[in-house]
Amino acid sequence: MAAGPFIRIIIQLAIPFVRAFGAAYQQALSNARRDGANAARESLKKAKGMTTTEATQILNLTESEATNLKTVEESYRRIFEANDPKNGGSFYLQSKVYRAHQVLVLQHREQQQEQEQQK
């Protein structure tokens, strides 16, 4: 008989916590939606992607070394393998290295096409 009032007291004390948890969860969802929209806006602002300067920094090259495709390939392979997740590296860093390689190779191809068109 004494258990009934005790359970009611526990329930009365738990109700504010459940309401607070629900409100906090709703606020977290709202923040996540807003932050997601902001991140999408920022990515649209930077539509071009990685710059050649960023790519040369990621591959640890100078501007003059970045024009030599062989040097770019060597640096890419070395850093890509060093960041292999199988060897304890980071997939995120490996993907940045891959993207930097793509940017520099694309730049090299565009320069070659421009030179051929000028001839």
Side-chain angles (χ1 to χ4, degrees):
M1 207 159 131
F6 180 70
I7 291 175
R8 278 188 239 145
I9 291 172
I10 300 252
I11 290 173
Q12 291 292 329
L13 291 174
I15 289 174
F17 289 108
V18 172
R19 286 185 182 153
F21 178 77
Y25 182 74
Q26 290 297 325
Q27 185 64 38
L29 283 177
S30 174
N31 289 343
R33 285 187 196 113
R34 185 190 67 233
D35 291 344
N38 289 341
R41 252 186 252 114
E42 288 299 318
S43 68
L44 288 176
K45 285 181 185 174
K46 193 177 179 184
K48 186 176 179 183
M50 185 181 293
T51 64
T52 55
T53 305
E54 289 174 306
T56 56
Q57 289 174 350
I58 289 171
L59 292 178
N60 196 26
L61 299 169
T62 63
E63 292 290 332
S64 61
E65 290 174 331
T67 58
N68 184 348
L69 194 56
K70 185 178 178 182
T71 308
V72 170
E73 291 291 334
E74 290 172 358
S75 180
Y76 162 71
R77 283 196 187 100
R78 181 176 44 82
I79 297 173
F80 188 82
E81 290 172 5
N83 286 298
D84 190 357
K86 294 177 185 174
N87 299 331
S90 165
F91 178 75
Y92 173 76
L93 292 177
Q94 195 178 41
S95 65
K96 287 294 231 181
V97 170
Y98 178 76
R99 182 67 184 127
H101 175 257
Q102 282 182 325
V103 167
L104 292 178
V105 168
L106 181 64
Q107 178 193 20
H108 188 264
R109 286 182 187 156
E110 288 174 354
Q111 287 176 349
Q112 280 184 336
Q113 287 175 353
E114 287 176 11
Q115 289 174 356
E116 289 174 6
Q117 288 175 355
Q118 290 176 356
K119 289 182 180 181

